[in-house]
Amino acid sequence: MEAVKEALQEGRPVAYFPYGEGALLLVERRRSLEAFPLGQGRRLPSLAAEFPSLDWFERALWERGLELVGHPGLRPLRRHDLPYAFREFPHLHEVPVGPVHAGIIEPGHFRFSVLGERILNLEIRLGYQHRGLLGIMPGKGPEAALLLAERAGGEPVAHALAFAEAWERALGIEAPPRAQYLRRAALELERAFGHLGHLAGLFTDIGYAYGATQVGRIRALLQGEVDRLTGHRYGRNFIRAGGVWREGRPDLEALSRYQKELDWLLPRLLKHPQVLDRMRYVGVVRRVEALALGFVGPTARASGVERDLRQDDALYPAFVPVVRQGGDVLSRAQVYAEEALQALEYALRFLHQRAEGPLAVEVEAGDGEGMARVEAGRGEVFWFVRLEEGRVVQAEGVDPSFKNWRALELAVRGEGLPDFPLCNKSFDLSYAGNDL
Amino acid sequence: MSLLRTLRIGVLARALEEILQVPSQAFGYPLLQPKGLSREAREGLVKVCPSGAFFEEEGIFSLDLARCVGCGRCALVYPEAVGEMKTLEVAVVRREDLVQRVDLAAQAFLDPGPPPPPRPELRLPTLAFREVSAGDTGLADSEIALLGNPFNDMARFGFQVVASPRHGDALLVTGPVSRNMAQALERTYQAMPEPKGVVAVGNEAIAGGVFAESPEVWAGVDRVVPVDVYVPGDPPRPGAILHGLLLLTGRVVQRLVGGVVR
Ligand code: SF4
């Protein structure tokens, strides 16, 4: 137990799922992964009081029928058939929002406790998107399972990649070099596409129509290149266990043109007085909070946490993560802008470098366990699979949004209610990814 | 010519015919070839499809477009048995019109008869719609949002998104309807004034898609609220959704009958 605590003190949880008699907790410390099997007889000691980063993980385990001994406040996360009580704040006005929102977004419920216009507390209740994805995984072969993994969160390429790599590791095989490059190219295009979407959304939310239209225009053109590379507007049906299905021909010249245009455009847009006025010092997440709650991806990097899984990927030699210290909406926007440019640069590099050889290796039916992590646009995507005779026995996935949702609760504290949409957009979390 | 067009629809907006086409690099929708369905091909098709879109029953071989994720592998491996439809005019008012059924003995498609016409009270020059995501991964939602971008520019057809169901003529629903969202969906529907139309956008909304077997979903919007138009796709491209809206408002005729363009 002491070893676990020590690891959590310096690191952050990556995944926590039922395993054998108890559960397996994976912790990342100093950029390496440590595994701790905990509990027995479906009873686990709760560590959430000491390590709040484990709170949602433990609630998710409890919902799945494990007993969490000593948890300070067990409430359901995804199941709506269990009773749920919101925290009450006497004398404060309550503003309930959702699950159906005013825009075209996924459903979730937000309960604001406000004093005048100021948000003193926000409680997020999710689970509306729960489709029981992990529950229908067992028994699936590689192709049907991958279809589900691609639908686990807002970033199909990242999820498919992590899932395929987990599958390959379970069987001890590796995708050929040509597929490796193509997969990474798709991943980077997805990142650029997603980040530009966040930026366009932010500009829309502050009423900066010029910025929103310009970024939206290039984003739509970029989507055409994703379509050319993968045959799908969001990169589904592209990655398979063992490699990729096809090699499309994106227009490399067009891609570098978009990159140049963005290179000119984005820094100027982010210096516009209207942008500075509305985004600076708003929705701050401090570094200590990011570390204590184990945030990942751009959310963590905009708060000064220098961590990106691509640092460990051999295909990204001497990778330098984009980091900002401010922790506010502007810092996150700056991280998105810079990462989008960086992503396009890597995508171009991978597409130029592409190797010769087969697109995939044969995947035989076999037994084994494997796990993999991929840095998606929103942060760390994790998949674990256990296979028997080439079929899933257990699959566990963690979307980055699952780790980041509470950043929004922190960011809006003390802000005005009308700034909520802006703060929400600055994280652009996946509801489905959280609710699995 | 191009100046005229630019003056009419703007610099970026694409013409409707262009929006309703599947681009050349991507696979459209599969189309069974009644004459090429040998026993071997049929058995192979059932195996090759990752999402289980092919069925065989009592001399009838069928393909459900609402189960197809559009990977294109069937047409690649069995070109004599499966072709491709490049159109995005795939919205239908009747669920059966998304299923291609081939009578194996006659080597011909079964014709389910003419589809019912769209509801006359929804014949509207403009349409305000509300969107509800009920278990969608976010991509169908994103495609609906992209209908408003300068390339597709749905506003020129009179379509606009409204924030409240009380202001809506139509409801667009995505996702397989998770159990946890069913009540909110029903109440959104009830909050809308009559006459109101419902469009199920995407395979998951039509019949659950890859989540059909999950006990946590209703596997189909029409199990919770009545549906007027079904738009297949995974997710459907903006052009297909636009076709769905045009069909709902009675401005185009349904093209797919029994899953085949007629
Ligand atoms: S294109 Fe559709 S029908 Fe054909 S194999 Fe892929 S999912 Fe199945």
Side-chain angles (χ1 to χ4, degrees):
Chain A
M1 201 39 106
E2 284 316 305
V4 182
K5 289 188 177 174
E6 217 172 88
L8 284 166
Q9 208 85 54
E10 295 173 32
R12 61 169 180 86
V14 169
Y16 198 7
F17 51 85
Y19 188 78
E21 275 283 271
L24 189 68
L25 172 64
L26 297 169
V27 181
E28 179 185 278
R29 172 160 57 161
R30 289 188 219 104
R31 282 171 60 175
S32 67
L33 207 56
E34 296 170 33
F36 302 96
L38 294 176
Q40 43 182 248
R42 297 187 75 75
R43 272 167 71 93
L44 298 171
S46 169
L47 296 167
E50 206 173 326
F51 302 101
S53 54
L54 282 177
D55 185 26
W56 282 31
F57 280 111
E58 292 191 352
R59 282 166 62 184
L61 283 172
W62 168 73
E63 252 177 357
R64 293 172 70 175
L66 278 83
E67 197 183 335
L68 266 296
V69 185
H71 189 285
L74 282 171
R75 282 177 307 166
L77 210 52
R78 295 160 176 157
R79 282 178 59 179
H80 284 195
D81 54 337
L82 300 171
Y84 184 97
F86 284 95
R87 245 180 101 185
E88 292 201 25
F89 296 87
H91 311 302
L92 288 188
H93 180 59
E94 276 195 351
V95 183
V97 174
V100 178
H101 303 289
I104 302 183
I105 53 168
E106 296 173 57
H109 181 84
F110 305 113
R111 183 72 58 102
F112 301 95
S113 304
V114 295
L115 188 63
E117 288 254 300
R118 270 286 124 250
I119 302 168
L120 296 195
N121 190 68
L122 162 63
E123 185 167 340
I124 299 175
R125 185 173 190 213
L126 299 174
Y128 295 92
Q129 296 280 71
H130 180 52
R131 300 156 301 182
L133 188 141
L134 299 178
I136 53 175
M137 274 282 191
K140 296 268 187 293
E143 277 138 36
L146 213 82
L147 285 187
L148 289 173
E150 279 180 339
R151 282 149 189 82
E155 289 150 308
V157 175
H159 272 281
L161 180 52
F163 192 84
E165 281 188 352
W167 198 289
E168 287 154 14
R169 282 180 197 158
L171 299 178
I173 57 175
E174 209 172 283
R178 187 165 163 205
Q180 298 278 9
Y181 283 126
L182 288 168
R183 286 169 165 191
R184 296 298 187 294
L187 180 69
E188 294 303 324
L189 287 180
E190 174 177 82
R191 185 187 323 277
F193 175 74
H195 282 5
L196 293 180
H198 309 157
L199 287 169
L202 284 171
F203 293 143
T204 307
D205 279 355
I206 61 166
Y208 184 23
Y210 173 78
T213 312
Q214 291 305 319
V215 175
R217 176 179 59 86
I218 300 176
R219 178 174 186 252
L221 293 169
L222 186 66
Q223 191 171 23
E225 302 308 322
V226 177
D227 201 352
R228 277 198 190 94
L229 175 66
T230 65
H232 189 280
R233 278 162 60 83
Y234 297 87
R236 280 179 181 169
N237 307 329
F238 176 62
I239 290 173
R240 62 189 283 190
V244 294
W245 283 106
R246 70 198 292 271
E247 177 173 17
R249 299 261 157 211
D251 183 345
L252 299 186
E253 256 166 53
L255 276 178
S256 56
R257 223 172 33 243
Y258 304 150
Q259 199 218 9
K260 280 205 198 79
E261 217 178 314
L262 288 168
D263 198 26
W264 185 88
L265 185 69
L266 291 178
R268 282 167 180 77
L269 294 180
L270 288 176
K271 279 191 200 126
H272 194 283
Q274 187 180 355
V275 170
L276 295 180
D277 190 39
R278 282 297 310 277
M279 295 192 189
R280 201 157 39 170
Y281 312 133
V282 173
V284 176
V285 175
R286 289 174 297 153
R287 186 166 186 272
V288 280
E289 294 170 331
L291 290 173
L293 287 169
F295 298 151
V296 293
T299 298
R301 290 194 287 278
S303 295
V305 180
E306 202 182 327
R307 180 67 177 124
D308 188 313
L309 292 174
R310 289 175 289 174
Q311 288 166 308
D312 311 334
D313 191 330
L315 287 169
Y316 298 83
F319 180 84
V320 184
V322 178
V323 180
R324 285 287 180 285
Q325 304 298 330
D328 53 359
V329 173
L330 184 66
S331 301
R332 286 189 284 279
Q334 287 168 340
V335 170
Y336 291 141
E338 220 171 291
E339 285 193 355
L341 292 169
Q342 188 191 38
L344 282 175
E345 181 137 357
Y346 273 108
L348 278 164
R349 195 183 297 178
F350 292 137
L351 289 170
H352 278 298
Q353 268 174 350
R354 50 182 154 190
E356 293 302 312
L359 287 172
V361 292
E362 260 327 295
V363 177
E364 316 257 313
D367 298 358
E369 281 181 9
M371 59 175 100
R373 296 189 291 163
V374 165
E375 184 79 29
R378 292 182 170 103
E380 171 186 80
V381 165
F382 170 89
W383 273 101
F384 162 88
V385 286
R386 191 160 91 239
L387 309 177
E388 259 167 40
E389 293 171 23
R391 302 211 158 253
V392 177
V393 179
Q394 186 187 3
E396 301 288 343
V398 185
D399 188 80
S401 298
F402 183 79
K403 295 166 187 157
N404 282 351
W405 264 104
R406 279 180 303 163
L408 179 57
E409 288 183 344
L410 293 175
V412 299
R413 261 183 215 171
E415 300 295 353
L417 196 51
D419 273 336
F420 171 72
L422 184 67
C423 294
N424 189 10
K425 194 87 224 167
S426 77
F427 298 105
D428 204 23
L429 298 153
S430 166
Y431 298 69
N434 183 78
D435 298 347
L436 279 185
Chain B
M1 181 58 209
S2 70
L3 177 67
L4 209 69
R5 182 175 164 259
T6 307
L7 286 172
R8 242 186 45 233
I9 62 174
V11 184
L12 293 179
R14 296 190 179 132
L16 183 60
E17 309 81 70
E18 209 181 317
I19 297 177
L20 294 179
Q21 276 293 317
V22 178
S24 56
Q25 72 270 8
F27 185 73
Y29 293 86
L31 174 64
L32 289 178
Q33 307 290 319
K35 305 235 180 308
L37 290 171
S38 60
R39 166 179 297 276
E40 187 205 343
R42 292 187 329 254
E43 278 167 9
L45 285 173
V46 172
K47 267 199 214 103
V48 88
C49 180
S51 62
F54 298 99
F55 309 86
E56 181 161 355
E57 218 176 353
E58 293 168 16
I60 293 173
F61 191 70
S62 47
L63 161 59
D64 187 354
L65 293 178
R67 282 218 60 123
C68 164
V69 298
C71 67
R73 275 165 235 160
C74 50
L76 208 66
V77 186
Y78 298 97
E80 74 292 345
V82 181
E84 185 189 0
M85 295 189 282
K86 273 285 189 196
T87 178
L88 288 177
E89 296 169 69
V90 288
V92 298
V93 297
R94 184 171 60 176
R95 170 73 176 92
E96 298 96 276
D97 285 327
L98 294 176
V99 187
Q100 298 168 7
R101 305 178 76 220
V102 169
D103 184 336
L104 291 171
Q107 293 198 341
F109 283 112
L110 292 174
D111 189 349
R119 284 162 54 197
E121 67 271 29
L122 289 170
R123 241 175 195 287
L124 299 167
T126 66
L127 184 90
F129 67 82
R130 172 89 285 270
E131 196 257 7
V132 170
S133 168
D136 179 60
T137 316
L139 304 196
D141 301 334
S142 162
E143 293 293 52
I144 294 173
L146 289 174
L147 262 182
N149 78 11
F151 296 96
N152 300 315
D153 188 18
M154 65 173 172
R156 67 184 141 147
F157 305 106
F159 300 133
Q160 59 156 328
V161 190
V162 286
S164 165
R166 299 226 187 268
H167 305 156
D169 308 308
L171 188 63
L172 268 59
V173 190
T174 60
V177 190
S178 47
R179 297 219 164 250
N180 295 348
M181 245 334 254
Q183 193 196 11
L185 172 61
E186 233 178 311
R187 287 174 62 176
T188 306
Y189 177 76
Q190 281 160 4
M192 288 170 56
E194 294 282 353
K196 50 191 167 190
V198 177
V199 184
V201 179
N203 292 353
E204 288 165 17
I206 296 170
V210 299
F211 295 107
E213 64 188 279
S214 170
E216 302 291 337
V217 304
W218 277 96
V221 174
D222 56 10
R223 298 194 175 169
V224 182
V225 295
V227 171
D228 296 289
V229 168
Y230 300 88
V231 185
D234 191 63
R237 289 172 183 258
I241 304 170
L242 186 62
H243 183 250
L245 292 174
L246 290 169
L247 182 66
L248 183 74
T249 49
R251 282 186 261 171
V252 294
V253 288
Q254 179 175 324
R255 294 286 306 283
L256 282 190
V257 180
V260 184
V261 179
R262 309 235 173 175

